[in-house]
Amino acid sequence: MNSSPPAPPRPTAAGRTTRPPLGPSWFAAVMGTGIVANAAVTLSWTFPGLRTGAMVIWLGAALLLVLLAAGYLRQRTLRLHAGDPVMAQFLGAPPVALLTVGAGTLLLGRPLIGTEAALDVDWVLWSLGTVLGLVTACTIPYLMVTRHRFAPDAAFGGWLMPVVPPMVSAATGALLIPHAPAGQLRLALLLGCYAMLGLGLVAALLVIALIYGRLIHHEAPTGAVVPTVWIGAGALGQAVAALGALAAAAPSVLPAPYARGTAVFALLGGLGVWGFAMLWLSLAAGLTVRTIRTGLPFAATWWSFIFPLGACVTATNTLAAQSGSDVFKWLAVASYGLLVLAWIVVAGRSALHAAGHMRRRVVAGHGHRPLGAATAVDRPAPLTGTVRAGAGARAVTEARTTPLDPAGEVVGVTPTTDSEG
């Protein structure tokens, strides 16, 4: 169970339906859509129409980024989400969305807007995404230590989201290194990317250890939490991709011995991390199949399937390019096919969810009823029970619960529990 200090609930007008605030987890849709496009460019073997299709998907990701960013900023719920121990984790999604769309602009947008414009857009989005990602990577762990309170079984895949953005900045920043001014600025960019890679990778390994301990010592996760287990494979795959991208950019910055060393480190170190990523991917897939048998409700966390799988595709592509191995080339193509199929399923379910949400808004806004008539939606549902945690099922005091709807959006907050939980 997750808990945190109390925060006042948002007031609602009487007689109106409450629209849940847009959660930052939905920016994972931009991440997933963007990486489907970007991964197509890195494939060693291409197919007719692949690049055109990838360009269309990238345009969709860019449009979705604009719509979600405008909606999220308009509702002004950043403090609400930062104060929530679950939603705060997904504040790492917006920076990665910016970085993914920015990289796609440089990889796929040049035929549409020109090289100079694509480069300028990528610089802006990369800079903004990097700053926001570093702020998230530093702020969310601080809030977890000083403000949020967690039960022993609270760790879940979402804890990786705040620390992943620096690794994505390292991988996407490597694309900009050849375009940076030669000399100290280019060197600073390369070294900064390596530092961000180390920041994200070490932090991710620590969090993965916490998640593995939670899986071993407590009951297996169920429901909409299960897809977040995949994020571990995505973090590891992103590290492999970043190592390869930085090694490719290093010869234009570092002296020959160090440049060759980055290539060796990227291949041998990348192979080791890739192997661990495949182990974690197998564990995540097994838990997912187990959950599907009993029912896996749709939620925004379904997008946790997509970006991690895409990161594994780019990692496999990187190792294929470095080693020249046909095995890795075939694995990359096969995994990209699975990525596209998974993206179609998740994007389709998301579109149906969005359409149903819009229909509910229209009905709520245009329905008529006699004055004084009450409906079920106007009456708040009671939330009762006792919050307990630990092996002895001890009552937890001063805990605040956060009810979520089936899509994983916050629908309200409760007062803190008393001395009896």
Side-chain angles (χ1 to χ4, degrees):
M1 187 208 79
N2 298 290
S3 61
S4 67
R10 301 177 65 199
T12 58
R16 294 182 183 178
T17 57
T18 302
R19 181 189 178 192
L22 175 68
S25 56
W26 282 106
F27 282 89
V30 180
M31 297 166 49
T33 302
I35 204 167
V36 169
N38 296 350
V41 181
T42 64
L43 287 176
S44 301
W45 293 331
T46 59
F47 307 94
L50 180 62
R51 194 175 186 89
T52 302
M55 187 183 302
V56 173
I57 294 174
W58 164 73
L59 286 172
L63 177 61
L64 184 59
L65 174 62
V66 173
L67 295 175
L68 288 177
Y72 189 76
L73 293 175
R74 185 172 60 250
Q75 68 185 12
R76 300 179 182 179
T77 53
L78 179 60
R79 289 190 63 184
L80 173 67
H81 290 151
D84 183 87
V86 175
M87 280 294 172
Q89 309 302 323
F90 293 100
L91 289 173
V96 178
L98 291 167
L99 296 166
T100 306
V101 172
T105 305
L106 192 59
L107 294 171
L108 295 163
R110 283 181 285 185
L112 295 178
I113 62 177
T115 300
E116 291 299 324
L119 187 58
D120 291 340
V121 171
D122 192 16
W123 273 114
V124 171
L125 294 180
W126 182 84
S127 300
L128 182 58
T130 297
V131 171
L132 291 177
L134 289 173
V135 170
T136 301
C138 296
T139 303
I140 301 305
Y142 176 79
L143 291 176
M144 293 173 70
V145 171
T146 61
R147 181 176 179 183
H148 301 159
R149 293 295 179 265
F150 300 95
D153 61 347
F156 75 114
W159 282 15
L160 287 162
M161 288 299 298
V163 299
V164 165
M167 284 195 289
V168 182
S169 290
T172 55
L175 300 175
L176 293 169
I177 290 175
H179 303 283
Q184 288 298 314
L185 288 177
R186 187 177 296 182
L187 176 62
L189 181 57
L190 175 67
L191 298 181
C193 286
Y194 268 112
M196 288 188 290
L197 171 60
L199 183 162
L201 178 57
V202 174
L205 292 175
L206 292 174
V207 176
I208 287 173
L210 292 174
I211 297 171
Y212 186 71
R214 179 254 186 270
L215 295 175
I216 293 296
H217 295 292
H218 302 278
E219 293 184 3
T222 58
V225 178
V226 172
T228 64
V229 180
W230 290 65
I231 300 175
L236 297 169
Q238 194 63 52
V240 176
L243 284 171
L246 292 172
S252 66
V253 184
L254 298 177
Y258 298 104
R260 288 195 297 270
T262 61
V264 173
F265 181 54
L267 178 58
L268 299 183
L271 281 170
V273 176
W274 183 86
F276 183 31
M278 294 303 103
L279 170 63
W280 196 266
L281 194 66
S282 300
L283 175 62
L287 290 173
T288 303
V289 172
R290 176 178 180 270
T291 306
I292 289 175
R293 292 174 179 173
T294 58
L296 179 61
F298 175 77
T301 54
W302 275 35
W303 283 102
S304 300
F305 294 129
I306 308 304
F307 189 86
L309 184 56
C312 290
V313 171
T314 57
T316 308
N317 285 331
T318 298
L319 295 175
Q322 291 174 321
S323 65
S325 169
D326 288 340
V327 173
F328 277 102
K329 292 179 182 179
W330 280 111
L331 285 174
V333 172
S335 56
Y336 184 75
L338 292 175
L339 171 65
V340 172
L341 291 176
W343 175 76
I344 291 173
V345 172
V346 176
R349 289 298 303 271
S350 298
L352 291 175
H353 170 78
H357 183 65
M358 293 302 296
R359 283 196 298 269
R360 289 193 296 271
R361 287 186 61 193
V362 170
V363 171
H366 293 68
H368 297 281
R369 55 183 175 164
L371 182 63
T375 62
V377 75
D378 292 329
R379 294 190 294 268
L383 181 62
T384 60
T386 303
V387 178
R388 299 183 182 277
R394 61 179 179 83
V396 180
T397 62
E398 297 185 1
R400 177 172 62 86
T401 60
T402 306
L404 307 177
D405 68 6
E409 305 295 342
V410 177
V411 296
V413 291
T414 66
T416 55
T417 56
D418 58 18
S419 59
E420 298 180 356

